[in-house]
Amino acid sequence: MQGNRKQYPSPMTPKTLFIYILTVILFGLFAFFIRGDMAGKMAAVVVCPMLIGYLIYAYFKEHKADKHAGEKKERMTDGSYFESPKWRENYIKYINDHPFEKPELADMKKDLLKRFRRREYLTGMFFLLFLIFCNGCVFIGQNSAGRYILAFIGIVFFGLFFYQEFALYIGMPVRRWLKGDIDYNVLEASYIRSRMLTYKKNGLAFGTTHIHAFTEKKIYAIDYRLAEGISRKIVRLKTYEDGIYAKDEYQHFAVIHVRLPQSGNIHDVEIELNEYQVQMAIDQIAVCKPGKELSERLSFEEKKEDETV
């Protein structure tokens, strides 16, 4: 379970840095001269200089990361990053160490449902049950109508989160998909002979007649005749803690370009993999559907997240 995240914090600019440092200095002067006790003087002499040093360090760290990311983006966009001898060497090594997987079970429904029975969902359910029990112990039994209302609100609140974890654990996305208008026998015959890539909670499999994919929220089965190719999408995720830059993370997506049969428009299906698996997917679609790899198409995005809870 993740805490709430504040989207799109502003990067620290020289003006912002100056304001932060000035605020710290004013606080230090107040603590030293106005408050004047030992704790205030210690804060002014020790804590404030350390905080100023940290702010300066964070400022230059972010700008150095931005410069490096700009250079990396340029190399990724023009293709030189993925064509470099070092990257190709690492790619070949990755393929040898992590070849395509096979479905674990010879039944598509059971195999997909098994992939949703994750330990983190089960842990989340037990934790939420514990919170519901604690909520009941705190509020129920008190001689006050307001206590019962708070207990009811707490049970409903934690119960909704419990249901979300439970629905994922029993594979509700799979069950909803199976109730749709699909030819199960055809899809299963393709799925059980597929070559599969799995990453985090996602999967991308190349079957005999369809591309199969799943995420935590949705299941896909894409006829090769409708697949126009696979390209790469890269997202640079800048993470902040309390508004201060902390680290970078690159997310890699295999983007399947699907031509919708009704309208003829192109719809993109994005599946997050690691950078080598994305290349494996691009290479594999070229085998399954020659001339449709689309490896030259690459999109690069930047996102920001504040991990302050």
Side-chain angles (χ1 to χ4, degrees), residues 8 233 235-238 251 301-305:
Y8 310 118
K233 176 181 175 180
V235 176
R236 179 196 177 201
L237 185 63
K238 293 180 69 175
Q251 298 173 329
E301 296 181 6
E302 287 194 3
K303 292 184 179 179
K304 303 172 185 177
E305 288 189 345

Side-chain angles (χ1 to χ4, degrees), residues 61-73 236:
K61 178 183 177 183
E62 180 172 8
H63 281 262
K64 182 179 179 181
D66 287 342
K67 181 180 179 181
H68 180 265
E71 296 171 351
K72 189 172 184 179
K73 175 182 177 180
R236 179 196 177 201

Side-chain angles (χ1 to χ4, degrees), residues 202-264:
N202 310 316
L204 179 61
F206 295 88
T208 54
T209 59
H210 290 73
I211 300 173
H212 305 268
F214 59 86
T215 66
E216 188 179 39
K217 297 180 179 180
K218 200 164 184 179
I219 313 297
Y220 301 91
I222 303 166
D223 194 312
Y224 280 118
R225 293 172 294 182
L226 301 177
E228 293 296 317
I230 296 178
S231 65
R232 187 191 309 271
K233 176 181 175 180
I234 302 169
V235 176
R236 179 196 177 201
L237 185 63
K238 293 180 69 175
T239 304
Y240 292 77
E241 294 178 358
D242 297 314
I244 304 297
Y245 170 78
K247 61 181 179 179
D248 268 359
E249 177 187 351
Y250 284 89
Q251 298 173 329
H252 299 262
F253 297 83
V255 184
I256 310 167
H257 306 284
V258 185
R259 186 169 297 281
L260 301 177
Q262 295 85 359
S263 64

Side-chain angles (χ1 to χ4, degrees), residues 184-220:
Y184 182 85
N185 292 330
V186 170
L187 295 180
E188 182 178 57
S190 174
Y191 180 86
I192 62 177
R193 294 175 178 82
S194 66
R195 308 183 73 197
M196 183 178 295
L197 300 166
T198 57
Y199 180 72
K200 295 182 179 178
K201 299 175 182 178
N202 310 316
L204 179 61
F206 295 88
T208 54
T209 59
H210 290 73
I211 300 173
H212 305 268
F214 59 86
T215 66
E216 188 179 39
K217 297 180 179 180
K218 200 164 184 179
I219 313 297
Y220 301 91

Side-chain angles (χ1 to χ4, degrees), residues 70-96:
E71 296 171 351
K72 189 172 184 179
K73 175 182 177 180
E74 185 176 346
R75 290 187 289 119
M76 286 179 168
T77 304
D78 65 21
S80 60
Y81 176 85
F82 300 104
E83 295 300 327
S84 66
K86 181 64 176 177
W87 193 91
R88 300 301 299 185
E89 178 185 344
N90 291 337
Y91 175 53
I92 297 301
K93 184 178 185 301
Y94 182 88
I95 293 176
N96 293 331

Side-chain angles (χ1 to χ4, degrees), residues 5-61:
R5 296 191 171 192
K6 300 176 183 179
Q7 294 287 331
Y8 310 118
S10 300
M12 189 183 296
T13 62
K15 181 179 178 180
T16 306
L17 177 64
F18 174 77
I19 293 174
Y20 282 167
I21 292 176
L22 181 61
T23 302
V24 173
I25 291 174
L26 292 175
F27 172 79
L29 292 174
F30 170 83
F32 192 91
F33 292 106
I34 305 301
R35 181 170 176 174
D37 59 5
M38 183 59 67
K41 291 181 179 180
M42 286 293 294
V45 174
V46 178
V47 178
C48 290
M50 291 177 62
L51 183 56
I52 291 173
Y54 174 73
L55 290 170
I56 294 173
Y57 163 76
Y59 171 79
F60 283 103
K61 178 183 177 183

